Amino acid sequence: MSTVADTNSPRGADTARSASSKYKLSFFGALRSESLKFRTLVSSWVLMIVTAVIMIGFAALSAFQAKDYADQMHEAMTGGKKIPEYYLQLGDPSEFARQAVDSGYVFGYIILGAMAVVFIASEFGTKSVISTLTASPRRGMVYVAKTVQITVVAAIVAIVSGVLAWAVTQWVLSTSDMDITFKLFEEQTLMNILGLIVVFVLTAWMGVGLGAIIRNNAGAIVILVVLLFILPLLLMPFQWEWVRDFQNYIPSALAANLTNPVEPMKDPKYVESGVWYAVWSLVPLILGYFSFTQRDPK
Amino acid sequence: MIEVSGLSKHYGSKRAVDDISFTVQPGKVTGFLGPNGAGKSTTMRMILGLERPTAGQALVDGKKYSQLSSPLTSVGALLEARAVHPRRSGINHLRALARTHGIPNSRVDEVIDITGLSSAAKKKVSGYSLGMGQRLGIATAILGDPSTVILDEPVNGLDPEGVIWVRQMARYLASQGKTVFLSSHLMSEMSQTADHLIVIGQGKVLADQPLQDFLNQTGDDQVLVRTDDPDGFAEALRRDQVGVNKQDDGALVVSADGRDVAQRAQSQGVLLWEITPQQASLEQVYMSMTSDSVEYRSSDPNAGLGSGAANSTAGAESTGGHSGGGAHTAAQPEATPTGQGENYQPSHSTEQAPWNQEEK
């Protein structure tokens, strides 16, 4: 090996010893460690950027559709031109335009959930969990630190992508013949971004929990995708009333409610949707806690 | 200090570790020896709280590892050198661990320098060689300047210069009053590094004693003597019912203490120009002790190499009393305090035999 060790003076002890007693394991330290771990993987940044780009891209496309709808409506009102039939069901163009901000959430929350899975499951896949738990043998502390880290990341990604999506949306909508732009600091817009934050954070918790239970990236991501994406397809063939009721309470339906700028007219509304989505997230998160703290790493 | 008492770990019906107790004292290097599957790594993992014991407990400085207020400065451990995310750089791996205890980056830079990783620290760990990975593991172990160091196979994959460095570091840490507990399957390495040995086989402690006592437990005294008339002296000894074996180089290995042999030579009028007390090698004592405890037995590597190879080993096997094919590795160099003949090694050598230079 080309690297050369100082074999004449196997130090390693001298300099830090006098000060060693002042170094203590703490939750804040564990959190800083998890933060650094997250930031020092390229995959973390790629997934965050992809999430934001998808959110912004879908917002731009949806805004362009809203602009087109508004322009057609304007031409119909001023020039008597007929509105295309597929636009007639969309209602008020200004209300429709508001849906652009969160329009990419379906892809965004799956990517973010997968990122949360990888954040914890890859520790088992790479065996780096052995280093982690040797430095921080209080497993519950490590799990909570990871959850807090991913919560902060999910919230920041939601805020950044939500605000940028709003900005892009306004830029596109401002070119319309009708005034269908809307402000950031108004209740409906802020609630829409808040809904996105709730969905992203709770989905990240779901990912952390599944990652801790399954301890395998691929397996946990498959289950996540089934829960978020495939479940409605699985239930679709069944027309029993209880199945149709249940369909309103599965993660994809609840996330759709929470990211809708207009509160649903019937149950589950915003708060109820948030509570039920939290149940879907907290169950794996809590089970993941027990898995992480009680099952020894291999 | 590490105190292990009544420690057991069962996986279903398999007893990986079975009610073992020992103490690892500060100020000395304690070697942990045992065949593959003996329970060494499981024991070390239980000391570090990575495995929950089925029974018993392991304490470090009087506390369970998870209850230590500052685990990194209490215990530094190298369990698996590759317990690192491959897409993270070595320096960031160390910084992440240091953050848990608020250890500054300057200390991280220092251990990188100490372990000779400066040129590779910013590279991703996936690009590290086995030896570099091992150095990173050792850097992790000394990061907190711990009072106890636990190293599982620390010299695996290291070049000779790295092996010497690890040996010096272990000795140095012990000289500083630290508790040093290391396992290795390189017994010649143990013989040069350890002050005290704990031998484990099939989950049980087979020996827990100072290295010298371990080496002295082979029974009869033996001396190697050289004389101008080895055949005549050997014949005289045999007449007196004293065990003797003639070596290829003409030396005689006599089963008696040095004074007795010298007296016999004097009475026979034989000039002895070398009398060297003999000790069994660590390998021999270890193999003798663990021959019934190996979990994985190898078949004779010559068995599948054709009749020529098999024939070439037949003579050697017959002198050692082994049957061809299916001879297990543990029994091969079995210690034979008397009559070792040509297989006998005069003392624990500083040279590593080719077979024990291999990775486990």
Side-chain angles (χ1 to χ4, degrees):
Chain A
M1 195 166 61
S2 60
T3 51
V4 177
D6 182 0
T7 54
N8 293 322
S9 56
R11 300 170 269 149
D14 294 340
T15 40
R17 187 185 313 125
S18 60
S20 64
S21 59
K22 72 181 180 186
Y23 303 131
K24 304 284 185 199
L25 175 63
S26 65
F27 175 75
F28 182 63
L31 184 58
R32 288 184 69 209
S33 172
E34 294 304 327
S35 173
L36 188 138
K37 280 193 216 170
F38 183 86
R39 286 183 280 117
T40 51
L41 285 180
V42 173
S43 58
S44 304
W45 291 98
V46 169
L47 290 172
M48 282 194 297
I49 291 169
V50 166
T51 303
V53 167
I54 285 179
M55 289 295 297
I56 295 163
F58 268 85
L61 289 173
S62 298
F64 189 79
Q65 185 182 226
K67 169 199 168 322
D68 186 51
Y69 173 35
D71 289 347
Q72 298 268 4
M73 181 77 86
H74 185 259
E75 282 184 27
M77 287 190 296
T78 56
K81 192 177 174 185
K82 193 179 177 188
I83 302 173
E85 210 163 293
Y86 52 86
Y87 274 148
L88 289 175
Q89 302 167 353
L90 299 181
D92 182 355
S94 61
E95 287 299 314
F96 177 70
R98 288 181 175 276
Q99 296 192 355
V101 174
D102 287 355
S103 58
Y105 84 92
V106 174
F107 299 101
Y109 81 152
I110 285 179
I111 294 170
L112 207 78
M115 185 175 72
V117 165
V118 170
F119 186 49
I120 192 161
S122 67
E123 288 242 5
F124 293 94
T126 62
K127 293 195 174 184
S128 56
V129 69
I130 290 173
S131 297
T132 300
L133 294 181
T134 304
S136 307
R138 278 157 230 163
R139 300 181 188 180
M141 177 194 284
V142 174
Y143 187 78
V144 173
K146 282 187 179 296
T147 305
V148 170
Q149 169 62 26
I150 208 71
T151 299
V152 170
V153 169
I156 290 173
V157 170
I159 292 168
V160 169
S161 54
V163 170
L164 290 178
W166 168 84
V168 168
T169 301
Q170 301 316 298
W171 175 64
V172 175
L173 295 179
S174 65
T175 62
S176 171
D177 297 332
M178 290 177 73
D179 181 16
I180 53 173
T181 59
F182 49 93
K183 290 187 170 56
L184 175 63
F185 293 102
E186 59 182 69
E187 186 181 352
Q188 202 173 358
T189 311
L190 292 176
M191 284 296 286
N192 198 208
I193 293 175
L194 178 64
L196 189 67
I197 296 170
V198 170
V199 167
F200 276 17
V201 167
L202 293 179
T203 308
W205 287 2
M206 195 184 292
V208 168
L210 291 174
I213 295 166
I214 309 296
R215 301 186 170 189
N216 174 281
N217 286 341
I221 289 172
V222 165
I223 293 176
L224 185 79
V225 170
V226 167
L227 283 175
L228 299 183
F229 210 68
I230 310 291
L231 195 54
L233 302 177
L234 293 174
L235 296 174
M236 195 181 290
F238 305 104
Q239 298 301 317
W240 290 303
E241 191 176 347
W242 67 269
V243 174
R244 293 168 70 93
D245 284 346
F246 180 65
Q247 280 178 321
N248 295 322
Y249 291 88
I250 61 176
S252 55
L254 298 168
N257 288 348
L258 289 165
T259 53
N260 192 335
V262 181
E263 185 165 15
M265 301 294 285
K266 58 177 185 177
D267 288 340
K269 295 182 179 175
Y270 275 156
V271 173
E272 202 181 349
S273 294
V275 169
W276 281 108
Y277 199 64
V279 170
W280 280 99
S281 302
L282 284 171
V283 168
L285 186 69
I286 292 168
L287 291 177
Y289 177 86
F290 287 109
S291 173
F292 193 84
T293 55
Q294 301 301 315
R295 288 167 59 205
D296 295 329
K298 299 299 176 198
Chain B
M1 186 166 71
I2 302 169
E3 297 164 277
V4 170
S5 55
L7 201 62
S8 297
K9 182 67 182 181
H10 302 169
Y11 299 106
S13 60
K14 179 177 166 51
R15 297 184 172 202
V17 176
D18 191 9
D19 192 23
I20 63 170
S21 300
F22 58 82
T23 302
V24 182
Q25 298 285 354
K28 53 174 91 164
V29 178
T30 300
F32 200 28
L33 265 179
N36 289 349
K40 301 187 298 294
S41 295
T42 305
T43 302
M44 286 182 158
R45 286 168 61 93
M46 284 193 283
I47 293 169
L48 293 165
L50 293 167
E51 297 260 3
R52 281 172 209 281
T54 306
Q57 64 178 3
L59 304 179
V60 179
D61 297 337
K63 289 182 179 176
K64 285 186 179 177
Y65 184 69
S66 61
Q67 293 170 347
L68 293 168
S69 63
S70 180
L72 269 188
T73 62
S74 301
V75 181
L78 163 66
L79 290 188
E80 294 199 34
R82 290 292 182 162
V84 185
H85 198 298
R87 306 304 297 168
R88 191 174 284 126
S89 66
I91 191 170
N92 281 329
H93 168 73
L94 291 169
R95 283 178 176 173
L97 297 181
R99 291 278 195 282
T100 58
H101 287 61
I103 295 170
N105 285 346
S106 58
R107 174 62 183 167
V108 172
D109 297 338
E110 195 174 52
V111 296
I112 285 171
D113 180 42
I114 291 167
T115 50
L117 276 175
S118 302
S119 61
K122 291 183 178 171
K123 292 178 184 169
K124 288 189 170 63
V125 174
S126 58
Y128 280 22
S129 66
L130 188 61
M132 289 160 76
Q134 202 73 1
R135 284 173 187 268
L136 180 62
I138 293 169
T140 305
I142 62 172
L143 182 62
D145 180 23
S147 54
T148 297
V149 179
I150 296 176
L151 305 172
D152 193 7
E153 304 279 2
V155 299
N156 259 6
L158 290 179
D159 50 20
E161 188 264 350
V163 172
I164 293 168
W165 173 76
V166 168
R167 192 183 301 153
Q168 287 185 333
M169 169 157 280
R171 303 282 339 150
Y172 175 77
L173 292 172
S175 74
Q176 297 296 301
K178 293 172 186 286
T179 306
V180 181
F181 188 40
L182 63 91
S183 74
S184 175
H185 68 289
L186 299 178
M187 286 163 281
S188 56
E189 186 54 42
M190 277 297 186
S191 70
Q192 293 177 75
T193 312
D195 303 301
H196 192 96
L197 278 185
I198 295 171
V199 182
I200 186 171
Q202 290 196 343
K204 290 181 179 294
V205 173
L206 303 177
D208 181 359
Q209 57 197 155
L211 177 69
Q212 204 55 46
D213 292 357
F214 185 82
L215 295 173
N216 288 341
Q217 66 179 354
T218 53
D220 298 343
D221 289 329
Q222 294 192 1
V223 288
L224 180 143
V225 297
R226 292 185 193 277
T227 172
D228 294 332
D229 181 16
D231 292 329
F233 187 51
E235 186 56 36
L237 290 170
R238 286 196 188 99
R239 279 200 302 273
D240 293 345
Q241 305 293 313
V242 177
V244 60
N245 273 291
K246 188 181 173 192
Q247 309 284 57
D248 284 346
D249 60 356
L252 300 176
V253 176
V254 185
S255 297
D257 66 40
R259 182 180 179 81
D260 184 30
V261 175
Q263 278 183 335
R264 288 174 190 277
Q266 190 179 33
S267 66
Q268 298 286 328
V270 173
L271 172 68
L272 298 182
W273 45 272
E274 181 184 341
I275 304 177
T276 309
Q278 298 296 284
Q279 231 176 9
S281 72
L282 178 57
E283 283 91 338
Q284 287 169 324
V285 181
Y286 166 78
M287 288 302 187
S288 170
M289 182 168 282
T290 62
S291 60
D292 295 329
S293 304
V294 288
E295 183 173 65
Y296 306 107
R297 295 173 191 275
S298 310
S299 61
D300 182 356
N302 292 318
L305 297 179
S307 56
N311 290 339
S312 70
T313 59
E317 285 178 354
S318 65
T319 56
H322 295 295
S323 59
H328 61 77
T329 52
Q332 198 91 10
E334 194 167 15
T336 49
T338 57
Q340 281 119 334
E342 295 177 2
N343 287 334
Y344 186 72
Q345 296 293 318
S347 65
H348 57 275
S349 167
T350 56
E351 291 180 7
Q352 294 176 0
W355 61 267
N356 69 4
Q357 290 177 329
E358 296 292 324
E359 250 199 297
K360 186 163 63 174

